[in-house]
Amino acid sequence: MHDRRLRRALDTVSGRYRRLLWQIGLAACWLALAVAGLAALAWWRGAGRAVPLVTLVLMAVLLAALLPPLLRAVRVVRDPLWVARRLERKFPDLDTRLLAAVEQAPGDGPEGHLTYLQRTVVDEALDHAARRRWEQVVPDRALRATAWAHGLTLAGLATVLIALAVTVAARPGGPAAAWDGQPGAAADFDLKVEPGDASVERGTSLVVLARFGRDLPADAALVVRGADGQPHDVPMSKSLDDPVFAARVPAVDADLAYAVRYGPAAVPTQTRWYKAAVFEHPELKQADAKLTFPTYTGAPEKDVADTRSVTAVEGTKAALTFRLNKSVAGAVLVPKVSPAAANGVTTNPADPPADDAPQPITLTPDPADPSVYTAAVEMKHSARYTLQLTDADGRASKRPAELAVNVTPNKPPELKLDFPAMDVDVSPLEELTLRAKVSDDFGVRRAGVSYTIAGRPAADVVLAENVAGRDKRDVAHTVALEKLAAEPDQLLSYYFWAEDVGPDGAVRRTAGDMFFAEVRPFEEIYRQGEQPDEQQQQQQQQKSSQNAQRAEEAAEGEKQIIAATWKVIRRETSAKPSAAFAPDVKLIAESQAEAREKAEAMGEKLTDARSQSFLKNVLKQMDAAAAALTEAAEKADVGKLASAALPAEQAAYQELLKLRAREHEVVKGQRQQGAQKSASSASSRRQRQLDQLKLTDEKNRYEQQRAAGQQQDQNPQERETRQVLSRLKDLAQRQEDLNRQMKEMQSALAEAKEPAKQEEIKRQLARLREQQREQLRDTDELRDRMD
């Protein structure tokens, strides 16, 4: 390492490491010496003999064994590379830059200095040291704690040495007698039996110690009397020079009594009988579960033996049986709560709400078998429980068992709209085919479609019943707009729905996305107007374009409000509205008020009486929608959205559609180039129709009027023929649109590279081909009628 600044920074960290290691190592040395001194002092006093020389030798050996590793560790800490590795682990954002800086050596630069890139690496490392304070890799609190530990252990060692010195000086005969290893004075047998009367955990060993005074018997034996009542002897062994005899019973499985026999074989002496009672910690041996599934699943009861995890659908009733090793005073299933949940912070959306969180469950003992306990659990939310057992003596389980309750939610039915899967424009004579797929995890009771024209009652059509679980059923319905007496500029809204049985056992209806079909005029009315002057034409075109654009923008805005309202209605499926209900509805109400202001501003630009009447109806319906939204937010009434707000929004949207002009005056040679593009697909289609319109001057108005008069005199058969011809024209136009869309899709398929996108385009092409086949069938039927 060439840079002195970097070396100083690393030496600072190394110095703190050395200081920490010295304090820890010395504290360990003093502690080991103090423990050795205490052991020697205790043995000395119990054996009645002085061995200070042995104690000093033992302390010296310990010190010689501990100091070399400490010195080696201190030498390792001095290595800058070792310090750099520790800093890299502590600060991952260094990204090995420090190691690279340490390994830099002078290059080929002038006077052996570092190159520019090498200096850059070193400077970045030094900048990091200044910002992140490398020295704190060894915190100040750690240095203070080890300093305290070093001081305390040193004080303890000094105390032990003083105690040794005092004990040696106090021995009979003084210190000289203590060095010869002889007993200071005789003593009679002074026996102490350990552990005496005791409790022993079943299966563990029992060690019995017989501590004598200064005089020791020649031998001793442990007399054990088991459950059979017959005593048997276990020889006791002497422990070195200590006045202690010991014996061990390998495994205690039942209560026993024991005594110590010592002295001459002819006249032995025996202590009283001591009792060793056997105990067990309460433990779970086996857990069983009997699951009773909700009736809507149709599944039979299920027994699960010897399990620690129970999985079932929500609403299942689980009868849990716990077989213990003994009867207990208390058995409780306690739910495990995460630290965040304990502090009232919910981080997982799948966690149950706080007011519905799992509660502790107290187990009930079985009258026939006190070691069997039962509990009934209604599975609502997934949870993990800890089985807490307490016996009559207050002992708890050494390793508490855990039980996991995994709840599978009863999901609402899935609805996927296959066709048309978007908002469309239809003619008053069109038959709109709607198709969707419906499925559910436990079966669908009924599935259907609901459609309505704004201002009329909704129609519910049941399309499928009793769909099996996990079975995907295709449902379809054709809406005949002619039978509905649909008129231009009306709004048809529709959505698919499905009913299943919810977790509470009640029928639950799930609605899909709402889509719209705007009824366009069967034949747009185009007429050739009088040729105005250039200035007048520009003014009229600009004014008409602005009004049309404002109407289109207002309609699109109202559509978004309808979609937002429908989203809230679909979300609020429970009896009690969610916390987000009121804020969301207030936001929709504010959007409706803004839309109302924009619509009202359009009145200044409208001069046509019919358009002004339409705008008046728009404002009226928007006011009704805003009032219903405000009331629903204040009263937390979800039903108000569906019964009042949504119909008013749809009616306002329909009235906005009527604002769009139904007659277009097209002046030859005065069509506007580069006209402003409308925001909606309906205006784009009308613009294409205008571009395709070819007006000629050869037609005579009088002839047109006379033809119109002749059409009025046609008989019913001729009128039907004219309607069929008009329908054929409409089908031809739709066929042309389909052909164009198919060409665009085929081009997109050729350009698509991702497999997922290719599959999506192929599905769209399949739907367009199906529509094309349906239109060909309709065309063939109309031609048969013509024949």
Side-chain angles (χ1 to χ4, degrees):
M1 182 174 58
H2 185 73
D3 192 85
R4 295 181 178 179
R5 297 174 299 164
L6 184 59
R7 178 178 291 278
R8 283 197 299 271
L10 294 178
D11 287 342
T12 301
V13 180
S14 175
R16 293 174 71 89
Y17 269 119
R18 292 196 300 273
R19 179 181 172 189
L20 181 68
L21 286 176
W22 271 116
Q23 292 176 350
I24 294 176
L26 292 177
C29 292
W30 306 149
L31 180 62
L33 294 176
V35 171
L38 286 174
L41 182 62
W43 181 55
W44 185 10
R45 288 178 175 176
R49 59 193 68 185
V51 285
L53 182 59
V54 176
T55 302
L56 293 176
V57 171
L58 177 61
M59 289 184 175
V61 171
L62 284 175
L63 192 61
L66 293 175
L67 282 178
L70 178 60
L71 294 174
R72 286 196 298 269
V74 171
R75 283 197 299 270
V76 170
V77 172
R78 289 180 177 275
D79 185 8
L81 192 58
W82 183 90
V83 177
R85 291 194 185 99
R86 295 299 293 256
L87 289 172
E88 287 283 354
R89 287 197 295 270
K90 176 67 175 178
F91 304 105
D93 56 333
L94 278 170
D95 197 19
T96 69
R97 284 179 294 178
L98 179 56
L99 290 174
V102 171
E103 294 173 355
Q104 296 305 312
D108 299 329
E111 298 180 2
H113 291 170
L114 296 177
T115 63
Y116 171 78
L117 294 177
Q118 291 174 327
R119 289 199 307 273
T120 301
V121 172
V122 172
D123 291 340
E124 289 179 354
L126 291 172
D127 179 67
H128 187 278
R131 288 185 292 103
R132 301 300 298 273
R133 299 186 63 190
W134 286 356
E135 65 274 11
Q136 288 304 314
V137 72
V138 181
D140 294 336
R141 60 178 181 276
L143 294 175
R144 290 194 296 270
T146 53
W148 274 99
H150 175 253
L152 291 176
T153 53
L154 185 59
L157 177 60
T159 303
V160 170
L161 293 176
I162 293 173
L164 282 171
V166 171
T167 303
V168 170
R171 275 294 180 182
W179 286 102
D180 59 6
Q182 300 296 326
D188 297 332
F189 292 127
D190 183 13
L191 177 61
K192 180 180 180 182
V193 179
E194 296 178 359
D197 294 329
S199 297
V200 182
E201 185 177 359
R202 187 184 301 276
T204 60
S205 60
L206 173 64
V207 177
V208 179
L209 302 178
R211 297 185 180 275
F212 292 89
R214 296 182 179 179
D215 296 333
L216 297 177
D219 57 9
L222 176 66
V223 184
V224 179
R225 186 171 64 192
D228 55 0
Q230 298 297 325
H232 61 278
D233 294 348
V234 178
M236 302 186 75
S237 59
K238 186 175 179 299
S239 174
L240 299 177
D241 293 335
D242 293 339
V244 177
F245 286 85
R248 176 175 174 270
V249 181
V252 181
D253 295 325
D255 294 347
L256 57 82
Y258 69 92
V260 176
R261 185 187 298 128
Y262 60 94
V267 188
T269 303
Q270 182 174 313
T271 64
R272 71 177 182 88
W273 289 98
Y274 295 95
K275 295 181 180 180
V278 175
F279 72 90
E280 289 182 296
H281 288 278
E283 297 292 341
L284 173 65
K285 297 171 61 179
Q286 180 176 328
D288 303 328
K290 183 176 183 180
L291 304 179
T292 304
F293 300 101
T295 55
Y296 65 83
T297 63
E301 292 184 351
K302 181 180 179 181
D303 292 326
V304 183
D306 196 8
T307 182
R308 299 297 172 90
S309 178
V310 180
T311 302
V313 67
E314 60 180 321
T316 300
K317 299 184 183 299
L320 305 177
T321 303
F322 300 92
R323 304 183 187 278
L324 311 181
N325 59 343
K326 65 176 183 178
S327 176
V328 296
V332 182
L333 283 174
V334 179
K336 297 183 69 175
V337 182
S338 63
N343 295 329
V345 180
T346 302
T347 58
N348 187 0
D351 291 341
D355 56 353
D356 200 16
Q359 301 297 321
I361 302 173
T362 302
L363 306 186
T364 304
D366 188 348
D369 188 350
S371 64
V372 177
Y373 291 77
T374 60
V377 177
E378 184 175 358
M379 301 177 66
K380 294 182 178 180
H381 302 287
S382 297
R384 296 187 66 87
Y385 293 90
T386 301
L387 180 60
Q388 294 186 357
L389 304 174
T390 307
D391 62 9
D393 296 326
R395 300 186 186 92
S397 301
K398 296 174 68 176
R399 292 176 296 275
E402 292 187 359
L403 177 69
V405 177
N406 304 315
V407 178
T408 303
N410 179 6
K411 298 180 181 179
E414 293 184 3
L415 291 165
K416 181 180 179 182
L417 187 64
D418 286 342
F419 182 82
M422 60 181 178
D423 296 340
V424 295
D425 290 346
V426 295
S427 70
L429 300 180
E430 187 172 344
E431 293 181 352
L432 178 61
T433 300
L434 310 175
R435 289 196 299 272
K437 284 185 175 63
V438 61
S439 63
D440 186 61
D441 45 4
F442 295 104
V444 175
R445 293 293 182 89
R446 296 193 312 164
V449 64
S450 178
Y451 60 90
T452 181
I453 292 180
R456 300 184 188 179
D460 273 3
V461 181
V462 179
L463 304 179
E465 292 183 325
N466 299 325
V467 180
R470 304 189 183 281
D471 182 19
K472 291 186 178 181
R473 181 73 61 86
D474 292 326
V475 294
H477 181 68
T478 301
V479 180
L481 296 171
E482 187 175 5
K483 292 182 179 179
L484 293 177
E487 298 178 359
D489 295 326
Q490 286 188 331
L491 177 67
L492 173 71
S493 58
Y494 63 92
Y495 63 90
F496 283 89
W497 52 265
E499 294 178 349
D500 71 336
V501 179
D504 56 356
V507 176
R508 173 179 61 183
R509 171 173 283 202
T510 301
D513 294 329
M514 178 177 288
F515 292 92
F516 304 101
E518 300 176 8
V519 182
R520 60 177 171 80
F522 185 71
E523 287 184 346
E524 295 282 5
I525 303 173
Y526 299 100
R527 69 168 182 264
Q528 181 174 341
E530 296 180 357
Q531 181 80 9
D533 58 22
E534 183 177 357
Q535 181 178 3
Q536 181 181 359
Q537 181 185 14
Q538 291 179 353
Q539 293 176 353
Q540 290 178 353
Q541 287 177 351
Q542 183 178 6
K543 184 176 181 180
S544 176
S545 175
Q546 292 177 352
N547 290 339
Q549 184 176 2
R550 291 191 184 96
E552 292 294 344
E553 292 174 353
E556 290 297 327
E558 192 65 25
K559 182 188 290 187
Q560 297 299 325
I561 293 174
I562 295 173
T565 304
W566 181 247
K567 182 178 180 180
V568 174
I569 294 174
R570 290 180 58 199
R571 184 189 67 194
E572 302 297 333
T573 56
S574 59
K576 182 180 179 181
S578 63
F581 174 78
D584 290 349
V585 176
K586 288 180 180 179
L587 182 61
I588 298 173
E590 293 174 0
S591 301
Q592 184 65 81
E594 293 178 2
R596 202 265 185 200
E597 293 178 0
K598 294 180 179 179
E600 187 177 12
M602 293 171 56
E604 301 176 359
K605 306 295 182 180
L606 298 176
T607 58
D608 181 67
R610 183 183 175 203
S611 298
Q612 291 178 351
S613 65
F614 289 154
L615 180 60
K616 182 178 179 181
N617 294 335
V618 169
L619 299 178
K620 178 181 177 182
Q621 297 297 337
M622 285 185 172
D623 290 338
L629 289 169
T630 303
E631 183 178 357
E634 293 176 351
K635 298 182 178 180
D637 187 0
V638 181
K640 194 70 174 179
L641 295 182
S643 62
L646 187 63
E649 292 169 358
Q650 292 174 336
Y653 184 28
Q654 180 171 269
E655 293 299 321
L656 282 170
L657 296 180
K658 294 180 181 181
L659 276 176
R660 298 188 304 197
R662 290 306 173 191
E663 294 189 14
H664 303 273
E665 289 188 335
V666 181
V667 180
K668 180 179 179 181
Q670 296 296 328
R671 288 179 303 186
Q672 183 179 2
Q673 301 296 327
Q676 297 180 356
K677 294 183 179 179
S678 174
S680 70
S681 59
S683 292
S684 298
R685 284 189 293 274
R686 286 196 300 272
Q687 185 62 39
R688 288 197 301 269
Q689 292 174 354
L690 284 173
D691 295 337
Q692 294 172 359
L693 183 62
K694 295 182 180 179
L695 297 177
T696 59
D697 292 332
E698 288 79 8
K699 294 184 179 180
N700 188 284
R701 296 182 184 178
Y702 174 77
E703 291 294 331
Q704 292 176 353
Q705 293 175 0
R706 185 176 63 182
Q710 291 176 355
Q711 290 178 358
Q712 294 177 0
D713 297 335
Q714 290 174 347
N715 54 33
Q717 184 176 359
E718 292 177 346
R719 285 199 300 271
E720 182 180 358
T721 301
R722 181 170 53 83
Q723 292 177 357
V724 172
L725 289 173
S726 299
R727 181 70 183 278
L728 284 172
K729 291 180 181 179
D730 182 67
L731 289 175
Q733 181 63 40
R734 291 168 59 189
Q735 184 68 29
E736 183 179 349
D737 292 341
L738 284 176
N739 292 336
R740 179 181 50 79
Q741 293 179 17
M742 290 180 65
K743 290 181 181 179
E744 294 176 355
M745 287 295 175
Q746 289 172 353
S747 300
L749 180 61
E751 296 176 357
K753 297 180 180 180
E754 299 179 359
K757 189 172 183 180
Q758 291 177 353
E759 292 297 328
E760 178 64 24
I761 295 175
K762 288 179 180 179
R763 286 194 293 269
Q764 294 180 9
L765 275 173
R767 289 196 294 268
L768 291 176
R769 292 191 185 100
E770 181 64 24
Q771 297 179 39
Q772 192 178 44
R773 285 193 291 269
E774 291 180 358
Q775 291 188 11
L776 289 176
R777 288 195 297 268
D778 294 343
T779 303
D780 293 339
E781 292 177 0
L782 291 175
R783 288 176 178 173
D784 292 340
R785 290 173 60 184
M786 288 289 296
D787 296 340

